[in-house]
């Protein structure tokens, strides 16, 4: 668990980060890509004009690979403008094992977030939802108790308010520095989802690159409807671990969203540009009177 | 030799009693039942029905082999997705017939391989976590050797989770942990210390509820000693759990996991 390939991680600095809004529309979400006019696609190596990349939702115009997207851009892409209200922003990691060298400050400074997930309420094409969006740029999106708690609270709030919940996954897995406590977040979040499901409510998972380890083995795979972006790495075990275990090279395309679709584990691959419309339609068909 | 590492070695000891050793002592009329009805019969899991003091129960057990041939047959107790689905099938069956479930946990971890990924190892584990949190029967999980990560947790979302005195339960093997953090699996002993994987540590954290005693030197020195202690505790626990209303049983199970792990409330 916790292994992931670093393939496709946009080789850009995440200096700019979000000011999560308290519904104020004047605060603009800052994009995730650096200053400067040109960016190199980490997949095909072609040079991209920054403005094109931004307009194109961080999808390479040459190879169509979906570059990793930060929380700020994700909110901008998916949530109706001015409707996002963040909850539990102040929850952050403790250090339950008194681990030396466990420093989340640098990730907090880098991303402007307190933890590797942002949760809140907002609208998607006018449908109210609860949402949790993981930030891979925050220590590989790893799940410590803080992330588990925020996701669980978002699910519980969705259950209490009879709302759908949508989780955008992006994580290498459990936070090693919190050991067994991280592991228990898998049970905690899954149990909360069980109650949400029992209440007859809709849970949509959107798998984004990468989704591995304990995230795959808990809430990522529990959606009523599981969507994924093209080319997303999705798996339980890391590729290196598998290669070491079985002493074989892994086939091309192993553990991509296309691989999971073929094996029947996800419902649909949706290109980023169509994501909001698709989710909107699904929400429309699950409206509760 | 540090104290934690000696526990790791005992937990993995070649002569350490495996699930079937305890099952044969604690239960009567054990009938092993097979298969997930979807793909295969994963022999890393032994499942079935038996009597516990004349009361029918369902048994879900990860079984390590005791000789080389059996070890290979049981894949060193590293289940594939079909193993978790087999376990879930028998848990749902127990729920239908209102039988308590006793799980024996003993795995280095869920198997990592091409087939495991193709058949959805992540989904299989996730499904068990979700379903176990809502099973309408008492569930007790006992970690008897290695409790390796999600592969162990997938049969340990229980009303009561116990550990044998010299068993371990962790997010990852100490070797894997050392590899991830320091890129050096040789630092496993050091990792084991830091990880807090012993029964004593985890009882202190509230991750587990009870420690089952072993004879000095380890459970292999006297399997009956440990089995009898387990048997007494199972009897007492089933009495406790069966006295609860269904609502209380499920609420308590939910709250137990809900509370796990500290976090901080910082400035907004």
């Amino acid at each position: 668990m916790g292994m992931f390939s670093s393939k496709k991680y946009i080789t850009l600095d995440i200096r700019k980060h979000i000011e999560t809004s308290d519904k104020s529309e004047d605060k603009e979400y800052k994009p995730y890509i650096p200053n400067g006019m040109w960016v190199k696609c980490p997949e095909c190596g072609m040079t991209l004009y920054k403005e094109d990349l931004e307009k194109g939702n961080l999808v390479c115009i040459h190879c169509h690979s979906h570059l990793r997207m930060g929380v700020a851009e994700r909110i901008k892409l998916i949530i109706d403008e001015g409707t996002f209200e963040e909850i539990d922003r102040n929850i952050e990691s403790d250090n339950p094992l008194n681990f030396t060298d466990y420093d989340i400050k640098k990730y907090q400074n880098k991303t402007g977030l307190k933890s590797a997930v942002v949760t809140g309420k907002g609208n998607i094409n006018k449908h109210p939802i609860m949402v949790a969006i993981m930030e891979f740029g925050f220590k590989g999106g790893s799940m410590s108790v803080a992330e588990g708690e925020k996701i669980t609270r978002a699910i519980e709030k969705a259950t209490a308010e009879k709302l759908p919940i949508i989780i955008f996954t992006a994580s290498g897995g459990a936070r090693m520095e919190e050991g067994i406590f991280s592991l228990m977040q898998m049970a905690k979040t899954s149990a909360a989802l069980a109650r949400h499901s029992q209440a007859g409510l809709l849970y949509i998972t959107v798998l984004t690159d990468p989704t591995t380890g304990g995230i795959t083995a808990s809430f990522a795979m529990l959606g009523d409807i599981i969507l994924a972006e093209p080319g997303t790495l999705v798996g339980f075990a890391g590729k290196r671990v598998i290669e070491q275990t079985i002493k074989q090279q892994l086939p091309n395309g192993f553990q991509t969203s296309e691989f999971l679709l073929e094996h029947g584990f996800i419902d649909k691959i949706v290109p980023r540009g169509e994501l909001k419309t698709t989710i909107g339609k699904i929400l429309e068909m699950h409206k509760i009177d | 030799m540090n104290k934690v590492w000696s526990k790791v070695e005992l937990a993995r000891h070649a002569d350490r009693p495996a699930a079937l050793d305890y099952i044969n002592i604690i239960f009567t009329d054990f009938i092993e039942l097979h298969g997930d009805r979807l793909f295969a019969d994963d022999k890393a899991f032994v499942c079935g029905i038996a009597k516990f003091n004349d009361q029918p129960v369902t048994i879900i057990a990860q079984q390590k082999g005791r000789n080389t041939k059996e070890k290979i047959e049981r894949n060193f107790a590293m289940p594939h997705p079909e193993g978790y689905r087999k376990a879930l099938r028998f848990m749902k069956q127990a729920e239908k017939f209102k039988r308590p479930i006793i799980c024996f946990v003993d795995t280095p971890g869920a198997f990592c391989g091409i087939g495991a990924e193709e058949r959805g190892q992540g989904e299989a584990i996730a499904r068990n976590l979700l379903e176990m949190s809502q099973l309408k029967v008492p569930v007790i999980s006992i970690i008897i050797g290695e409790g390796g990560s999600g592969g162990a947790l997938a049969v340990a979302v229980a009303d009561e989770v116990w550990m044998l005195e010299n068993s371990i339960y962790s997010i990852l093997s100490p070797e894997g942990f050392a590899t991830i953090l320091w890129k050096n699996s040789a630092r496993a002993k050091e990792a084991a210390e830091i990880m807090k994987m012993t029964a004593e540590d985890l009882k202190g954290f509230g991750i587990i509820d009870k420690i089952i005693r072993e004879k000095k030197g380890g459970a292999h020195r006297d399997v009956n000693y440990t089995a009898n202690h387990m048997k007494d505790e199972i009897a007492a626990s089933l009495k406790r759990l069966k006295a609860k209303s269904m609502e209380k049983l499920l609420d308590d199970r939910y709250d137990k996991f809900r509370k796990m792990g500290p976090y901080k409330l910082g400035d907004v």
Side-chain angles (χ1 to χ4, degrees):
Chain A
M1 263 205 268
M3 313 285 288
F4 46 81
S5 122
S6 56
K7 177 177 86 86
K8 281 172 79 182
Y9 188 26
I10 185 167
T11 47
L12 310 169
D13 200 352
I14 318 162
R15 282 187 300 264
K16 306 280 182 176
H17 46 73
I18 70 165
E19 287 291 336
T20 358
S21 93
D22 15 285
K23 233 184 173 176
S24 54
E25 287 175 43
D26 51 4
K27 277 187 194 162
E28 220 182 61
Y29 292 116
K30 295 288 198 304
Y32 194 53
I33 48 179
N35 301 321
M37 300 257 288
W38 301 95
V39 176
K40 205 172 180 184
C41 171
E43 190 68 9
C44 69
M46 296 287 278
T47 306
L48 302 163
Y49 188 47
K50 187 188 151 193
E51 209 168 282
D52 287 345
L53 195 56
E54 282 177 338
K55 270 193 218 147
N57 304 316
L58 300 186
V59 177
C60 173
I61 50 165
H62 303 289
C63 70
H64 305 290
S65 83
H66 286 50
L67 310 193
R68 287 180 183 160
M69 183 175 246
V71 171
E73 294 144 310
R74 185 64 71 178
I75 291 172
K76 201 173 162 192
L77 176 76
I78 296 293
I79 308 293
D80 296 350
E81 205 184 334
T83 66
F84 185 68
E85 284 175 80
E86 189 177 2
I87 58 166
D88 300 319
R89 181 173 169 79
N90 59 337
I91 293 180
E92 56 180 308
S93 293
D94 202 345
N95 187 359
L97 301 182
N98 293 317
F99 207 89
T100 38
D101 316 324
Y102 179 26
D103 181 22
I104 55 161
K105 274 278 174 310
K106 66 175 170 191
Y107 300 101
Q108 291 181 332
N109 293 336
K110 185 171 105 171
T111 61
L113 305 176
K114 293 283 180 197
S115 71
V117 65
V118 170
T119 54
K121 198 169 156 178
N123 291 350
I124 295 178
N125 291 345
K126 297 190 175 135
H127 301 287
I129 49 124
M130 289 298 301
V131 66
I133 305 170
M134 302 186 86
E135 172 59 73
F136 189 74
F138 192 112
K139 211 167 165 38
S142 55
M143 179 163 64
S144 74
V145 178
E147 287 75 20
E149 180 67 22
K150 288 181 78 168
I151 290 168
T152 303
R153 286 190 187 198
I155 298 164
E156 288 177 337
K157 198 168 161 66
T159 309
E161 298 185 16
K162 298 191 165 49
L163 291 174
I165 177 140
I166 305 179
I167 303 182
F168 290 82
T169 60
S171 171
R175 178 87 46 89
M176 288 300 138
E177 291 88 342
E178 295 195 17
I180 194 81
F181 292 107
S182 286
L183 185 69
M184 293 303 140
Q185 304 314 304
M186 293 165 62
K188 183 166 126 181
T189 51
S190 300
L193 284 170
R195 293 194 159 185
H196 184 262
S197 181
Q198 280 268 301
L201 300 167
L202 173 69
Y203 169 34
I204 301 173
T205 324
V206 184
L207 310 177
T208 78
D209 192 70
T211 297
T212 62
I215 307 302
T216 306
S218 61
F219 53 85
M221 283 293 138
L222 294 173
D224 296 300
I225 293 175
I226 303 178
L227 307 177
E229 292 192 331
T232 296
L233 171 70
V234 189
F236 172 66
K239 287 187 186 183
R240 262 190 306 154
V241 176
I242 299 175
E243 277 173 346
Q244 280 165 14
T245 308
I246 62 171
K247 318 265 188 252
Q248 278 173 28
Q249 277 271 307
L250 297 172
N252 276 339
F254 183 65
Q255 291 183 325
T256 57
S257 43
E258 291 76 11
F259 173 90
L260 266 83
L261 184 73
E262 192 188 320
H263 288 93
F265 285 98
I266 60 176
D267 291 285
K268 196 172 179 61
I269 293 173
V270 185
R272 199 170 276 165
E274 298 166 23
L275 207 45
K276 183 169 180 174
T277 315
T278 305
I279 294 172
K281 283 181 187 166
I282 294 170
L283 291 170
E284 172 75 33
M285 286 184 249
H286 289 81
K287 262 198 336 208
I288 302 170
D289 298 319
Chain B
M1 169 85 53
N2 75 49
K3 210 176 133 213
V4 176
W5 191 251
S6 68
K7 282 188 188 283
V8 174
E9 290 190 321
L10 277 176
R12 295 170 173 175
H13 198 286
D15 298 330
R16 190 167 179 83
L20 279 171
D21 298 312
Y22 296 116
I23 291 167
N24 291 333
I25 298 171
I26 296 171
F27 305 94
T28 53
D29 299 334
F30 175 57
I31 303 172
E32 188 178 350
L33 303 168
H34 294 272
D36 68 346
R37 301 267 171 92
L38 292 163
F39 181 76
D41 180 41
D42 189 334
K43 292 183 177 58
F45 268 102
V46 169
C47 302
I49 49 176
K51 278 186 178 168
F52 178 78
N53 294 341
D54 288 329
Q55 169 188 169
V57 295
T58 286
I59 295 167
I60 310 285
Q62 289 167 332
Q63 172 71 17
K64 282 188 180 169
R66 277 162 295 187
N67 53 50
T68 308
K69 187 171 168 267
E70 202 199 340
K71 280 190 172 78
I72 292 166
E73 193 177 80
R74 300 208 179 274
N75 199 34
F76 303 87
M78 291 185 283
H80 282 76
E82 49 272 24
Y84 293 104
R85 293 183 182 123
K86 171 180 172 180
L88 182 59
R89 182 167 84 83
F90 289 112
M91 290 193 262
K92 297 301 281 182
Q93 189 186 74
E95 183 178 49
K96 175 176 175 183
F97 296 108
K98 300 185 171 56
R99 288 193 288 266
I101 300 167
I102 319 289
C103 301
F104 292 89
V105 182
D106 193 9
T107 180
F111 188 68
C112 299
I114 294 177
E117 296 290 328
E118 284 174 337
R119 300 193 290 280
Q121 189 70 286
E123 194 277 341
I125 292 170
R127 185 66 49 202
N128 280 22
L129 303 179
L130 182 142
E131 294 288 348
M132 284 190 86
S133 75
Q134 293 201 314
L135 286 171
K136 293 187 180 68
V137 286
V139 187
I140 301 170
S141 291
I142 311 168
I143 296 153
I144 59 171
E146 288 182 276
S149 199
L153 183 65
V155 283
V157 183
D159 300 305
E160 295 194 16
V161 181
W162 307 341
M163 281 174 78
L164 264 55
E165 199 178 322
N166 295 307
S167 64
I168 53 175
Y169 189 15
S170 61
I171 183 104
L172 193 64
S173 68
E175 290 82 2
F177 194 87
T179 304
I180 288 186
L181 280 170
W182 305 310
K183 312 237 178 311
N184 182 2
S185 66
R187 288 174 73 181
K189 289 180 189 180
E190 203 180 322
E193 288 272 333
I194 296 169
M195 289 169 76
K196 306 270 191 275
M197 58 202 305
T198 68
E200 216 170 15
D201 284 326
L202 300 184
K203 175 83 163 45
F205 291 150
I207 300 286
I208 64 154
D209 306 286
K210 194 177 287 299
I211 300 174
I212 304 290
R213 290 185 301 272
E214 295 178 28
K215 258 282 159 66
K216 197 168 184 303
H220 58 291
R221 297 286 174 87
D222 188 349
V223 63
N224 283 294
Y225 177 85
T226 308
N228 288 328
H229 182 198
M230 242 189 251
K231 193 173 178 181
D232 292 345
E233 292 295 349
I234 292 171
S237 170
L238 287 182
K239 203 172 159 194
R240 252 191 328 268
L241 295 172
K242 286 168 89 175
K244 291 184 187 183
S245 69
M246 190 52 63
E247 201 187 346
K248 172 108 173 92
L249 184 77
L250 294 178
D251 282 351
D252 286 355
R253 194 186 301 153
Y254 187 86
D255 292 343
K256 175 188 171 67
F257 289 91
R258 182 69 187 82
K259 283 189 293 213
M260 281 182 187
Y263 53 87
K264 278 199 303 206
L265 292 177
D267 302 325
V268 180

